[in-house]
Amino acid sequence: MTSMMRVCLILLWTVIVVQLHVPQGKAVQVFPPVNFTLTVSALARVLLRWKPNPNQEQKNYTIRYDVKILAPVSEEYDTKKTHSFQTAALHNGFSAHIRTLLFHNGLQMTSDWVAAELQPPPGAANTAVTNLSCATHFTIFSTVSLHCTWLPGKGAPEDTKYFLFYRYETCTEECQDYIKDKWNRNIECRFSVTHIIPDEIDKLIVIHINGSSKYAAIRPFQQLFNQNAIEKVNVPRNVTVFLEQNDLLATWEKPISPFSKECFEYEFYLINLKTGNEQIWNIYSNEFRLRIDVTCKYSIQIRANHHICCRRGFWSDWSEILYVGENKQENFIAWILAVLCVSMCATIVLVGIICKIVLPKKTRTILRASL
């Protein structure tokens, strides 16, 4: 009896071990997605779409999709959806891979990859714009302006006409206000008002520039900008400076902006006009106190930038120059000159009085005659 039980236990153990060592992935075949396509749905926006493989068994399994962007920028993520949007500069094309992920009993199984690609748009080499630079500005009307500059491509014919578009979220606009170079080519664009929302954080602005020419196909160019990173911050307001005994005190208000005062940092620029010494301090509040030499005169300027709340932008312009103190040595020299002037005048008057009293009348008559 004991031997029979032992045999049964051995057989049961053998079955369990065999089951544990049989790869679970062997029981289910994982098929790649089908109908994988890439579609440009807006400027610099790609719709990736696919369908589950109809041969894929789905009962009691969790299915997701592994998406790998190969170009223009490498990125990988997974999703349970059968579509995905990507924002990317497309002037050099776009390519991606996708595969099925199947999860069962804590195991992950994967299919083969399938690929799709968007070719770069046509155009002659070196005809696309270069050195594209853009800046936004929050206006006193609580709107956002946009200003972009660029250089024509080295291979662009002289008759090339460039055209700029920007996209923000679902809104796309073409520039109507250009500045031209000596060959009448557009090299600069201004939007006094845009659809950019000023208090958004890390939203992307898409800039697209294409062109036309009688002599060559002009290659388009796209670039993505973080809206906070290209904001030209406004100048700090109501800057005041004054002396309190031996201390310099400065106060100011945050720039015109939808962000709170805690969202800014400042640079405090101080020049000792007597010694020529220059210093810059980084300040994270709206006031500054500094012990100074009160016998010297100083100039003060302040500028601002984003801090903490969003990505740092372009530093504001410097505030108007303010002065505090006075050079005591210069005042001393002026006082000495004034004293010397008064002394000389007094001496001349005194000499005249003495001459009138002391000299004989005849001598005075002779002096008058000689005069």
Side-chain angles (χ1 to χ4, degrees):
M1 186 73 176
T2 304
S3 61
M4 287 288 293
M5 289 186 65
R6 187 177 299 166
V7 170
C8 289
L9 289 172
I10 291 172
L11 290 173
L12 179 62
W13 179 84
T14 303
V15 170
I16 292 172
V17 169
V18 169
Q19 286 181 343
L20 288 174
H21 284 80
V22 172
Q24 297 297 314
K26 297 291 185 180
V28 178
Q29 187 173 358
V30 185
F31 294 94
V34 296
N35 298 340
F36 180 34
T37 60
L38 304 176
T39 305
V40 178
S41 59
L43 290 180
R45 185 173 173 85
V46 179
L47 170 61
L48 296 80
R49 183 178 289 167
W50 59 92
K51 292 182 178 180
N53 195 302
N55 298 320
Q56 185 64 60
E57 183 181 351
Q58 299 190 28
K59 187 176 181 181
N60 298 324
Y61 301 114
T62 299
I63 293 180
R64 296 180 68 86
Y65 301 96
D66 185 12
V67 181
K68 181 183 289 187
I69 309 301
L70 303 178
V73 178
S74 202
E75 182 183 356
E76 186 170 359
Y77 57 93
D78 66 89
T79 177
K80 65 180 181 180
K81 298 179 180 179
T82 57
H83 70 276
S84 176
F85 286 97
Q86 281 286 313
T87 299
L90 302 178
H91 57 272
N92 288 325
F94 185 95
S95 62
H97 287 179
I98 188 171
R99 63 182 177 179
T100 304
L101 302 176
L102 189 145
F103 299 88
H104 180 62
N105 291 338
L107 296 177
Q108 174 181 304
M109 293 163 278
T110 61
S111 72
D112 293 333
W113 292 100
V114 292
E117 183 178 9
L118 291 174
Q119 294 295 323
N126 299 319
T127 57
V129 301
T130 61
N131 292 60
L132 175 63
S133 175
C134 293
T136 62
H137 181 250
F138 182 71
T139 72
I140 59 174
F141 306 106
S142 298
T143 60
V144 177
S145 64
L146 175 65
H147 177 214
C148 294
T149 63
W150 60 90
L151 295 177
K154 292 182 179 179
E158 292 182 6
D159 75 328
T160 300
K161 293 185 182 300
Y162 289 111
F163 306 98
L164 181 143
F165 301 78
Y166 86 88
R167 180 177 70 80
Y168 184 81
E169 297 291 286
T170 60
C171 177
T172 300
E173 280 192 280
E174 181 181 357
C175 181
Q176 303 297 325
D177 183 11
Y178 290 104
I179 292 177
K180 303 177 183 295
D181 66 6
K182 62 181 180 180
W183 288 288
N184 205 37
R185 297 180 297 191
N186 297 332
I187 58 169
E188 192 171 334
C189 165
R190 288 192 177 94
F191 292 90
S192 58
V193 179
T194 66
H195 289 86
I196 298 168
I197 302 172
D199 57 354
E200 290 286 356
I201 295 176
D202 291 338
K203 289 290 182 69
L204 292 177
I205 301 171
V206 175
I207 302 297
H208 173 94
I209 303 179
N210 57 26
S212 64
S213 168
K214 296 178 181 178
Y215 307 103
I218 306 302
R219 180 169 292 179
F221 180 81
Q222 292 180 343
Q223 190 165 337
L224 311 181
F225 295 96
N226 179 297
Q227 73 172 75
N228 308 118
I230 63 169
E231 181 182 347
K232 175 72 171 179
V233 180
N234 284 303
V235 179
R237 298 172 295 158
N238 298 332
V239 181
T240 60
V241 293
F242 56 94
L243 290 177
E244 188 176 273
Q245 295 182 349
N246 292 331
D247 288 349
L248 165 66
L249 274 73
T251 62
W252 57 90
E253 295 179 15
K254 76 176 185 73
I256 297 174
S257 169
F259 295 110
S260 64
K261 66 179 183 179
E262 292 80 15
C263 296
F264 294 92
E265 65 173 317
Y266 303 92
E267 284 190 344
F268 187 92
Y269 182 36
L270 181 74
I271 302 178
N272 185 321
L273 299 176
K274 182 177 179 179
T275 65
N277 184 45
E278 300 181 12
Q279 292 176 286
I280 295 180
W281 286 268
N282 286 93
I283 313 295
Y284 300 94
S285 65
N286 290 66
E287 59 183 15
F288 186 54
R289 177 186 288 266
L290 179 69
R291 181 61 57 89
I292 62 170
D293 182 355
V294 294
T295 66
C296 299
K297 186 176 182 179
Y298 297 86
S299 69
I300 296 100
Q301 288 179 286
I302 302 172
R303 65 178 182 174
N305 206 336
H306 297 147
H307 176 65
I308 298 178
C309 300
C310 61
R311 191 173 299 189
R312 177 180 286 183
F314 297 125
W315 281 97
S316 74
D317 294 331
W318 289 102
S319 62
E320 292 185 6
I321 300 176
L322 297 177
Y323 298 94
V324 68
E326 53 185 351
N327 292 331
K328 297 298 183 181
Q329 184 177 4
E330 293 178 2
N331 290 343
F332 178 74
I333 293 173
W335 182 80
I336 292 295
L337 291 174
V339 170
L340 288 174
C341 184
V342 170
S343 299
M344 289 179 64
C345 292
T347 302
I348 292 172
V349 171
L350 184 60
V351 169
I353 293 173
I354 292 173
C355 289
K356 188 173 183 179
I357 296 173
V358 175
L359 290 178
K361 183 177 181 181
K362 185 177 180 181
T363 304
R364 293 200 298 270
T365 303
I366 294 171
L367 286 173
R368 289 195 195 97
S370 64
L371 293 174

